[in-house]
Amino acid sequence: MSSINITNVTVLDNPAPFVNPFQFEISYECLTSLKDDLEWKLIYVGSAEDESSDQLLESVLVGPVNVGNYRFVLQADSPDPSKIREQDIIGVTVLLLTCSYMDQEFVRVGYYVNNDYEDELLREEPPTKVLIDKVQRNILTDKPRVTKFPINFHPEDEQTVGDDGPPPAELDDSDVNGEAQVLVEQPQQLQET
Amino acid sequence: MIAEKPVWVKHEGLQIFSIDVQPNGERFATGGGDHKVRIWNMKSVDKDLQNLDPKERLLATLRDHFGSVNCVRWAKHGRYVASGSDDQVIQIHERKPGSGTTEFGSGEPPNVENWKAVMTLRGHTADVVDMNWSPDDSMLASGSLDNTVHIWNMRTGLCTTVLRAHLSLVKGVTWDPIGTFIASQSDDKTVIIWRTSDWSMAHRTVGHWEKSLGSTFFRRLGWSPCGHFVTTTHGFQKPRHSAPVLERGEWSAAFDFLGHNAPIIVVKFNHSMFKRTTSSAPETKRAGWSNGTSKSGGKDLQPYNVIAIGSQDRTITVWTTASPRPLFVAKHFFGQSVVDLSWSPDGYSLFACSLDGTVAMIHFNPKELGVRLSDTELDELKKSRYGDVRGRQANLVESPAQLLLETASTKLSGSKRVSSDTQQNQVTAKPSANMESTAKRRKSQVDDRSKTAEASGDALNKASTSNQASNPVNQKVYRRPDGRKRIIPEAVGVPQQENNIDVAINGQAHNFPPASSAAPGKEDNGDFPVETSNRDLSMKEVVVRNPDPKERPRITARATITESLVIEKVSGASGRDGTLNVEPSVGIKGTSSTDLLIRVFDWKEGEAAAPVCLEACPKDHALDTIGAVSTSMVKETEISCKRSGETLWSDRIIGRVTVLAGNPNFWAVGCEDGSLQVYTKCGRRAMPTMMMGSAATFIDCDDSWKLLLVTRKGSLYVWDLFNRKCILQDSLSSLISSNVNLSSTVEGTIKVISVKLSKSGSPLVVLATRHAFLFDTSLMCWLRVADDCFPASNFSSSWNLGSAPCGELAGLQVDVRKYMARKPGWNRITDDGMQTRAHLESQLASSLALESPNEYRQCLLAYVRFLAREADESRLREVCESFLGPPTGMAEAASTDTNLSWDPYVLGVKKHKLLRNDILPAMASNRKVQRLLSEFMDLLSEYENTEPADPGPKGSAPTIDCGGVPSSLDQMDSDPVAVTAITPLTIENEKPVSLGNSAALETSITCEKPGSEDRERQEQNSRD
């Protein structure tokens, strides 16, 4: 059972110029109260080929996590174009919205993002040097890809099962399903708003 | 027979591994290879084929699993559905109020019903393939590919036992309907019977499974409703596959159901047993039940079981244990193996699902299966065979309502959880220093991003920015000390206004309301020990005849130096026969100059406003004015009323002042010589000096116009000063005689600690023994409301001990107990239950007499819980009936007769509400009384149906949250206009204060902030 279910994500300010900040209004329901905060992250996939060009746009903690329905707006700066290869700026890429609890990712929402010039002429004859101010960003909001991962929201319950608790192998298993890989994004990339 | 294959029941075309019908017949659940559990509407597969709106067919899709759902099983009470999956966990789902939600990103329509996972059972280390609830729903058994059977406690969601004896995958578990055993079947080709008492293995059966070939998804065995047979699966007897049947006791294979061409995957007994009818017409069958034809019937009427068997050969057979041949064979229904079966609660419909991803329903009629035994008949049958099952399973829930009430009762009894809101407030209030607000920028605001960024440091900006957007998200953003951004999300569903308020207030203002509201409570806590220690002190001082002034915890702060009185009953020989001579135990001599000061806080003006002080300052006039003639005789006392140093009024009284009292309406000053002077608020002598005959020793007043006085001779007066009427004149003499037997003091002597008006407005006397007496103005006699008669009661020591007394009665109780605890000979006696009951009953009556609704409710709850625990049905019935009132029909007739009419309110609370919200949930704590409970629930709902809309409490009766406006104050309450006309504004704001003095001690008393209860009461007054 997931303690947290995303009930809706509304992308505000879309489409918008490339340099505008991202705004996601996230609604979620909480079925069991959690001790720790939820960590929401927004990741911009700079290049399909290279994971290192992913940019962690924002990471926020949301809490306290009590039973009920909640919503908040996640705002993040636009990606730093200097960290994206020129040829990858224009075109379709992916934006990932993830949520983790105690460093375990349990849900990930992926959006396709299309970056292109708004101007008809520029679109047909793109300049050699990307004019970043003229690029329009369009998040394809109607087709989010939601992936859920099983994590244990109440690890302490596991221990109270007592002598008949599961062997550690199972715990490892659920950890593998969880986060870790996504966390390679280093915090220094975090950009302050 | 009608067969049906609803094509719309599907799991995205993948396998359906399990199907189960809710025991109330409203829904059925399926679990499939698409990792989902789906809940379907039974109406859509009704026998009458009245198909409803297709949108109403699928009630919910539950997506909590991360693997194929192998098994879905409803609890017997139908509130929970458990699902076991390849992801090794079992989820318990429950329907929550409200409409269903959409799974974000699924693109599917929202659920019709709001089913949510409420519990996750973790512990299996491999796929969970089969489950079954215990007969009383308290446990769940699950079989898994990790070779174990887990037993789960369904109250806690924890695994209580793991049964490890199978050597291979466990693919079926079933529960004995009697509750003594469970049976599990495994790929190790054995069936194990386990005892539920100690979870030991009762029997390991090897049998016809030995020769079984091939692998099956499941080995879902079943236990017959009569408890006698266990039908197992996947047996093989050349040349056919079989379902071997074990008999109870021997646990050996008695016979087999033979005939399937492929391994049997699942067997399912019908929930009830059946019998043949002499006539197959349904009409006679119905009549037969009530006539008890079973008595006259012969062999034909022997009840039998009905069992359905599903196999890998894609067929379903239905058998009766009365016939060697199958009753019915269903072929060509499915393209792949049948994997699960379920009978409808009426016993005439069979649900089946298959790996081909489809389900089928087969509806039988009584001609085909026979006549179903009623539940009572089945119970009788089990009883005759196994003894009284009900006795062993007293915990069986018979209705979902019982469970709901049980939850309610645990909520009531549990300590109040700190609401999340409070927590949130605290969180936000704390980091007010580094709290930043990031204004929510909508599209229109994006351009001036830098501007808002600047403003983000300014918390006050929030309110304005939140107004700009039409539907802004009210969230709080701040940085944690480690620099990370943290958002406190907006709670959706909370009224918007509340959120706005939250945001508009900055950190500092935020702190204020909790602080001020917490203060009175804290002071209450702090007060009490101090107060009692004073009391302890005064007790000692009674001995040395020098008591200390002390402060009362009431609104009407009083300090009475004559802490204890010795009332001596003068014997007939010494003068006036039978009269009382009240002797204050305090030495009056040598008390010439004492300043008494009392303060009244004006609450309306806030804490800063200066209190009004009334001061009584004895002046030795022998030296100044009168001269040598009357030095020893005449003394004057100056009375002065001040506010922050400025004298409002002053007066002089001849004689020494013993008591002072005051409230916003009047001041009263009692003198040693037995005179009583009443002043108006501004210090005008409202009436001539009243002569009491002896010195006033105790004085008290309420919030409006009532004044209580006790003289040295033990006379008790209560006046209504507004109407200038005596409400009550009586004597404390009856307390003496009653006390003689109880107190250890000298015969005829009684020590009084305090006399005051209770919150309900009746005189309340506390003696030195800490026994408290309340004068009932209707009965015109004294009632003992607090005493030490029940030292052995379970409640005498636990009642509010350690916590601040929340009510009047509790305060008195604590006093009694503290006093008792000091007595050396006091020992804790174990109670036989009678004393506890009597104690609770007297508590209940006392709180009613004191008109303390909160305590009344508390006592009532404790009493009902106690009765429920003892399963004292007759008393419970009486309590419930008294709260239910006369039968509905009679209620109207009775209402014309005013004398006998039933009052639907008790202490301002609707009795039905108490019954529904408190009494019935409290009764739910013991399932032994659930019959009674459900009876009264039905009655109550009947009443509520017939009743018109709640007209609200009669008159000025308060709600339970308020301190309670005593009914004896009705005279005043009913005339609020007159009261406020005379003293506008002040009546709600000022606290009455009284002060007694007869000793040469300097006193300074501060009227403390009233408890929240008092304030509520005050508000109630003002509202009235």
Side-chain angles (χ1 to χ4, degrees), chain A residues 34-67:
Chain A
L34 301 177
K35 279 189 221 145
D36 216 1
D37 285 350
L38 300 172
E39 184 180 18
W40 294 83
K41 280 186 272 196
L42 193 64
I43 298 160
Y44 186 85
V45 177
S47 164
E49 292 93 41
D50 186 6
E51 218 174 89
S52 65
S53 61
D54 287 1
Q55 289 188 41
L56 177 60
L57 301 179
E58 182 61 293
S59 161
V60 294
L61 297 166
V62 173
V65 190
N66 294 314
V67 175

Side-chain angles (χ1 to χ4, degrees), chain B residues 592-847:
Chain B
S592 54
S593 56
T594 305
D595 282 354
L596 287 175
L597 184 69
I598 49 177
R599 290 196 184 94
V600 181
F601 283 103
D602 189 340
W603 280 96
K604 200 169 190 178
E605 289 170 32
E607 287 167 59
V612 178
C613 311
L614 185 71
E615 205 174 348
C617 182
K619 300 247 167 170
D620 195 351
H621 279 272
L623 300 174
D624 293 345
T625 47
I626 310 295
V629 188
S630 53
T631 24
S632 59
M633 293 304 292
V634 179
K635 277 174 181 159
E636 268 190 23
T637 308
E638 185 169 308
I639 314 281
S640 56
C641 184
K642 294 174 180 170
R643 183 197 289 265
S644 52
E646 173 202 350
T647 305
L648 298 177
W649 58 270
S650 64
D651 193 24
R652 281 187 185 180
I653 290 183
I654 297 187
R656 211 175 52 84
V657 169
T658 54
V659 286
L660 285 181
N663 73 5
N665 298 326
F666 64 86
W667 302 101
V669 178
C671 296
E672 203 181 14
D673 60 0
S675 62
L676 177 73
Q677 186 62 57
V678 177
Y679 295 93
T680 62
K681 184 171 165 274
C682 296
R684 181 166 57 86
R685 293 195 181 205
M687 49 184 94
T689 305
M690 299 160 78
M691 296 308 292
M692 303 291 97
S694 60
T697 48
F698 289 105
I699 195 163
D700 195 16
C701 58
D702 70 352
D703 297 347
S704 43
W705 292 97
K706 204 187 264 190
L707 179 68
L708 168 112
L709 186 83
V710 172
T711 67
R712 274 176 70 187
K713 288 192 175 162
S715 305
L716 171 92
Y717 299 92
V718 179
W719 296 288
D720 177 354
L721 294 175
F722 183 70
N723 292 316
R724 301 184 62 156
K725 263 187 193 161
C726 177
I727 298 173
L728 178 68
Q729 185 188 358
D730 205 75
S731 161
L732 300 183
S733 57
S734 45
L735 298 186
I736 297 172
S737 52
S738 69
N739 198 268
V740 168
N741 303 327
L742 293 162
S743 90
S744 55
T745 51
V746 188
E747 198 179 344
T749 306
I750 137 175
K751 291 177 180 175
V752 179
I753 288 181
S754 78
V755 181
K756 58 178 184 172
L757 286 168
S758 75
K759 279 175 189 161
S760 60
S762 305
L764 182 69
V765 175
V766 180
L767 302 185
T769 56
R770 300 302 191 263
H771 288 199
F773 298 86
L774 184 81
F775 196 88
D776 189 301
T777 42
S778 343
L779 292 172
M780 289 302 279
C781 74
W782 290 95
L783 308 172
R784 191 169 66 209
V785 291
D787 53 33
D788 53 0
C789 290
F790 311 104
S793 161
N794 294 336
F795 285 87
S796 65
S797 58
S798 62
W799 202 286
N800 269 329
L801 192 60
S803 63
C806 48
E808 232 175 349
L809 183 60
L812 297 169
Q813 293 281 333
V814 170
D815 282 355
V816 170
R817 211 168 47 250
K818 292 212 161 125
Y819 182 70
M820 292 299 295
R822 276 199 305 271
K823 281 192 177 175
W826 189 77
N827 279 323
R828 183 112 174 86
I829 317 147
T830 45
D831 181 35
D832 54 354
M834 199 177 309
Q835 216 173 71
T836 304
R837 201 201 66 234
H839 183 223
L840 284 171
E841 281 168 354
S842 69
Q843 290 264 323
L844 191 61
S846 296
S847 55

Side-chain angles (χ1 to χ4, degrees), chain B residues 225-335:
Chain B
C226 63
H228 193 66
F229 302 107
V230 184
T231 303
T232 63
T233 51
H234 203 357
F236 187 78
Q237 270 197 310
K238 236 176 174 179
R240 299 284 184 170
H241 291 271
S242 74
V245 178
L246 308 182
E247 263 188 286
R248 195 189 188 94
E250 295 296 313
W251 308 118
S252 57
F255 55 92
D256 290 57
F257 291 105
L258 265 175
H260 278 282
N261 292 322
I264 287 163
I265 309 291
V266 55
V267 298
K268 194 73 121 194
F269 276 98
N270 202 312
H271 309 292
S272 23
M273 296 180 76
F274 289 79
K275 63 186 177 195
R276 281 206 202 294
T277 45
T278 42
S279 160
S280 53
E283 290 81 17
T284 44
K285 144 217 131 191
R286 289 219 177 83
W289 287 7
S290 46
N291 293 343
T293 36
S294 56
K295 279 182 204 163
S296 58
K299 220 177 179 181
D300 277 354
L301 292 178
Q302 194 71 32
Y304 52 84
N305 287 303
V306 172
I307 185 170
I309 295 176
S311 158
Q312 226 166 37
D313 66 5
R314 296 168 286 169
T315 62
I316 299 167
T317 50
V318 178
W319 308 65
T320 70
T321 46
S323 155
R325 300 206 165 272
L327 198 72
F328 165 81
V329 181
K331 287 181 183 171
H332 312 300
F333 268 71
F334 297 110

Side-chain angles (χ1 to χ4, degrees), chain A residues 11-191:
Chain A
V11 183
L12 308 175
D13 189 23
N14 184 52
F18 184 83
V19 293
N20 270 17
F22 290 101
Q23 290 178 77
F24 291 87
E25 185 185 309
I26 300 164
S27 305
Y28 64 91
E29 66 174 354
C30 172
L31 300 175
T32 51
S33 295
L34 301 177
K35 279 189 221 145
D36 216 1
D37 285 350
L38 300 172
E39 184 180 18
W40 294 83
K41 280 186 272 196
L42 193 64
I43 298 160
Y44 186 85
V45 177
S47 164
E49 292 93 41
D50 186 6
E51 218 174 89
S52 65
S53 61
D54 287 1
Q55 289 188 41
L56 177 60
L57 301 179
E58 182 61 293
S59 161
V60 294
L61 297 166
V62 173
V65 190
N66 294 314
V67 175
N69 288 295
Y70 297 92
R71 60 173 188 163
F72 68 98
V73 171
L74 175 66
Q75 172 154 338
D77 278 349
S78 59
D80 183 353
S82 66
K83 289 182 183 162
I84 309 171
R85 282 187 295 170
E86 281 274 301
Q87 67 267 33
D88 285 335
I89 290 182
I90 303 294
V92 176
T93 185
V94 169
L95 196 60
L96 294 174
L97 174 68
T98 71
C99 186
S100 8
Y101 179 67
M102 294 174 84
D103 288 342
Q104 312 168 83
E105 182 180 316
F106 62 91
V107 70
R108 157 179 295 215
V109 183
Y111 288 99
Y112 286 112
V113 182
N114 186 26
N115 295 321
D116 209 343
Y117 292 108
E118 201 172 12
D119 187 34
E120 199 77 26
L121 283 173
L122 283 171
R123 212 181 297 167
E124 268 155 35
E125 288 175 34
T128 47
K129 173 91 180 126
V130 175
L131 302 171
I132 201 73
D133 293 337
K134 300 245 159 91
V135 175
Q136 184 83 0
R137 174 187 71 211
N138 189 1
I139 303 168
L140 306 177
T141 56
D142 52 337
K143 287 207 181 86
R145 293 298 179 93
V146 183
T147 319
K148 297 204 276 187
F149 307 100
I151 66 157
N152 191 352
F153 282 93
H154 301 278
E156 72 281 1
D157 290 354
E158 204 93 6
Q159 287 146 18
T160 51
V161 172
D163 52 341
D164 302 316
E170 201 234 352
L171 282 175
D172 292 348
D173 205 29
S174 65
D175 279 345
V176 170
N177 287 339
E179 242 280 36
Q181 297 95 329
V182 190
L183 271 182
V184 290
E185 288 299 330
Q186 291 307 304
Q188 59 257 35
Q189 282 183 302
L190 192 148
Q191 293 168 6

